[in-house]
Amino acid sequence: MNLPPTKRASQILIALSAWAFVSAIASLLIFKIVYISALPTSLPNLTNDINNIQDFVVLKKISLLLAESVTAQKETGWLIASWGLWFVATWSAIFGITSMLLYRQLTKTNPTEEQYSKETILDLALTGKLELWKAFWVFYIALPAVASLTIYQILAILRRTHVIEPTKVADLILTPLAYSAVLVIFWGAAIVVWRCSTNTPSITWRYLVRGSIILFTVIPLAKSAILLGHYSRW
């Protein structure tokens, strides 16, 4: 039986929520590494240097340095505010459009028994009933590869057309959205394959597939979480 509309809608919203969460974390991390880490946070021995100043030229250089530091921090503050507003607006639009489309699907006439009896490959995958080899090669290998190539090509086009440039708000929004979409698709495919790993007569293939998921998905994810915790310290 096909997935009921409410079940499919809830899965779509869960996927969007995961995408929003991962993209927000990635965006904050990019902002911290690329922007905030480049700002001067303090001047060494500033008090002693000021007390020993007897040259007007040295005083002028220090004043200019302080003024540039304050200006840079002010620009960073405006960049944070702009990023926050645009990020909220972007995800509000995504969730709003998705909710309207889902509402239209949910309010349609109920499908016939014949339509319900036809299971698509996506239905089988999401319910964990798809054959293991199909789940592995289609959802774990082919789908993330096609998605990553497509998304990265779109990013390359946006960079060539100067839509995405360093120190611009678009770079803080579109780049994390693209990278996190690939990650969410890959992790979702790993969950699908894990659930479908029992759909094979060979127990060897079952554990080989699960081992590859642990090796190529779970362990890198754990390492990324550790690195994220390290870089997120302010």
Side-chain angles (χ1 to χ4, degrees):
M1 180 178 288
N2 282 338
L3 284 175
T6 53
K7 181 68 174 179
R8 192 183 297 278
S10 65
Q11 290 182 342
I12 293 174
L13 292 177
I14 289 173
L16 284 177
S17 299
W19 184 21
F21 177 77
V22 176
S23 61
I25 296 297
S27 185
L28 285 171
L29 187 60
I30 291 174
F31 184 88
K32 182 179 185 297
I33 294 175
V34 177
Y35 297 96
I36 294 181
S37 61
L39 293 176
T41 56
S42 64
L43 297 175
N45 301 320
L46 180 60
T47 303
N48 293 332
D49 291 340
I50 291 177
N51 290 331
N52 295 328
I53 288 177
Q54 296 180 354
D55 189 346
F56 179 76
V57 175
V58 175
L59 179 61
K60 181 179 179 180
K61 290 181 179 179
I62 293 179
S63 300
L64 290 174
L65 182 60
L66 289 173
E68 292 174 356
S69 176
V70 171
T71 302
Q73 292 183 18
K74 181 179 178 181
E75 292 177 353
T76 303
W78 281 110
L79 188 62
I80 293 176
S82 301
W83 167 80
L85 291 173
W86 278 107
F87 196 86
V88 171
T90 299
W91 273 108
S92 297
I94 291 175
F95 274 105
I97 294 172
T98 304
S99 299
M100 287 189 293
L101 293 176
L102 291 177
Y103 178 77
R104 293 181 61 184
Q105 291 294 321
L106 293 175
T107 53
K108 283 184 177 179
T109 305
N110 292 331
T112 63
E113 290 295 331
E114 182 181 357
Q115 291 173 324
Y116 255 140
S117 63
K118 296 178 180 179
E119 289 183 315
T120 65
I121 186 173
L122 182 59
D123 293 326
L124 293 172
L126 294 177
T127 54
K129 296 187 295 184
L130 187 65
E131 295 94 328
L132 176 59
W133 71 270
K134 289 182 180 179
F136 182 80
W137 289 107
V138 174
F139 288 95
Y140 194 70
I141 301 298
L143 179 61
V146 172
S148 60
L149 288 175
T150 302
I151 291 174
Y152 294 155
Q153 285 299 320
I154 293 174
L155 279 180
I157 293 173
L158 293 176
R159 290 192 178 99
R160 284 197 299 268
T161 56
H162 302 288
V163 175
I164 297 178
E165 294 182 354
T167 72
K168 300 296 184 182
V169 176
D171 183 47
L172 286 172
I173 298 176
L174 298 180
T175 301
L177 283 177
Y179 288 135
S180 60
V182 175
L183 290 177
V184 171
I185 291 172
F186 182 64
W187 295 338
I191 295 173
V192 167
V193 174
W194 188 279
R195 296 184 61 188
C196 296
S197 61
T198 57
N199 303 330
T200 176
S202 174
I203 193 173
T204 302
W205 285 113
R206 177 192 308 176
Y207 288 109
L208 280 176
V209 168
R210 289 187 174 183
S212 65
I213 291 174
I214 293 174
L215 184 62
F216 296 107
T217 306
V218 177
I219 294 178
L221 178 60
K223 290 183 178 179
S224 300
I226 294 173
L227 290 175
L228 183 61
H230 172 74
Y231 284 113
S232 62
R233 295 174 184 173
W234 296 84

